């Protein structure tokens, strides 16, 4: 199953595959790679078709629970692994700008970051980790995680369901999927490119200065 081929992913994986994807997006450290928004919206569109792959009410019940369960796993990882997992491995993987942005959100909004972070690609993967190692009370985290998961997951599914009944949107669904994925892919590509250029420039300057460590 390829989560980037949204139609075939949902047709093959069904509700179970969708729930696994929602769990992975915040439950493990590579979740930022997956197009959660696109999959949820498409699931709603497909649920509005004459032969839906799943009932709307069932999607709106189990998918938010899977997303909230992923948050719990991310929180435990953050608590167990500590600050180094975010400021070390994750910073190298997703780029310092996303890590710094997540920290700013926590400093400014506190627990509300857990709710609002659900709606921001990449940040929703980092949020449970930061909440875990920063010492946010588990009860507070769980409350805002559940609220955010329900509003985000059910909201996108319902949006796709109602818009999926519009013929033009139903016939051009791939446009919305691509547009949603671009909002994640382009910023990450730009971030990777900037970091690569910065490292290359630093290495070039070090070689010019005769630094033996760059050999």
């Amino acid at each position: 199953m390829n989560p980037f081929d949204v139609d075939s992913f949902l047709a093959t994986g069904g509700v179970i595959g969708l729930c696994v994807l929602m769990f992975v997006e915040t439950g493990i450290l590579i979740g930022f790679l997956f197009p959660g928004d696109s999959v949820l919206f498409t699931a709603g569109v497909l649920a509005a078709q004459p032969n839906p792959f799943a009932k709307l009410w069932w999607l709106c019940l189990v998918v938010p629970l899977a997303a909230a369960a992923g948050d719990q796993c991310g929180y435990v990882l953050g608590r167990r692994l500590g600050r180094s997992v975010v400021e070390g491995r994750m910073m190298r993987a997703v780029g310092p700008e996303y890590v710094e942005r997540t920290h700013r959100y926590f400093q400014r909004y506190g627990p509300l970051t857990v709710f609002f972070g659900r709606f921001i690609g990449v940040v929703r993967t980092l949020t449970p980790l930061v909440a875990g190692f920063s010492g946010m009370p588990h009860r507070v985290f769980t409350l805002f995680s559940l609220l955010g998961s329900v509003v985000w997951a059910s909201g996108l599914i319902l949006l796709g369901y109602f818009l999926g009944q519009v013929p033009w949107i139903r016939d051009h669904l791939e446009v919305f999927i691509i547009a949603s994925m671009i909002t994640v892919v382009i910023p990450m590509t730009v971030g990777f490119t900037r970091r690569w250029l910065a490292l290359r420039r630093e290495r070039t300057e070090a070689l010019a200065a005769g630094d033996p460590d760059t050999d």
Side-chain angles (χ1 to χ4, degrees), residues 64-86:
L65 291 177
D71 276 358
Q72 293 294 317
C73 184
Y75 180 90
V76 171
L77 284 176
R79 180 63 64 87
R80 295 286 179 85
L81 300 179
R83 181 180 297 271
S84 61
V85 71
V86 173

Side-chain angles (χ1 to χ4, degrees), residues 10-11 42-56 59 161 170:
L10 292 172
T42 306
V45 172
L46 296 179
Q49 305 313 305
N51 296 309
F53 82 104
K55 297 292 186 182
L56 178 65
L59 290 174
Y161 180 84
R170 183 179 62 244

Side-chain angles (χ1 to χ4, degrees), residues 4 9-10 23 37 49-50 77 93-94 139-140 150 168 178 181 191 194 202:
F4 296 94
F9 173 81
L10 292 172
F23 177 89
D37 295 335
Q49 305 313 305
L77 284 176
V94 306
R139 190 173 299 178
V140 174
V150 169
W168 187 89
I178 293 172
M181 293 178 65
R194 285 178 176 174
E202 289 174 2

Side-chain angles (χ1 to χ4, degrees), residues 26 37 64 67-68 71 102 105-106 109-121 123-128 131 136 139-156:
T26 55
D37 295 335
D71 276 358
T102 304
Y105 288 156
F106 269 96
Y109 301 110
L112 285 174
T113 304
V114 179
F115 177 88
F116 291 116
R118 262 289 168 193
F119 300 87
I120 307 172
V123 172
R124 60 174 161 262
T125 301
L126 297 173
T127 297
M136 178 181 292
R139 190 173 299 178
V140 174
F141 171 80
T142 300
L143 172 62
F144 285 99
S145 169
L146 282 172
L147 291 174
S149 297
V150 169
V151 175
W152 173 70
S154 297
L156 283 175

Side-chain angles (χ1 to χ4, degrees), residues 201-215:
R201 184 169 57 252
E202 289 174 2
R203 180 170 297 180
T204 300
E205 293 174 351
L207 286 172
D211 188 346
D213 293 336
T214 60
D215 294 337

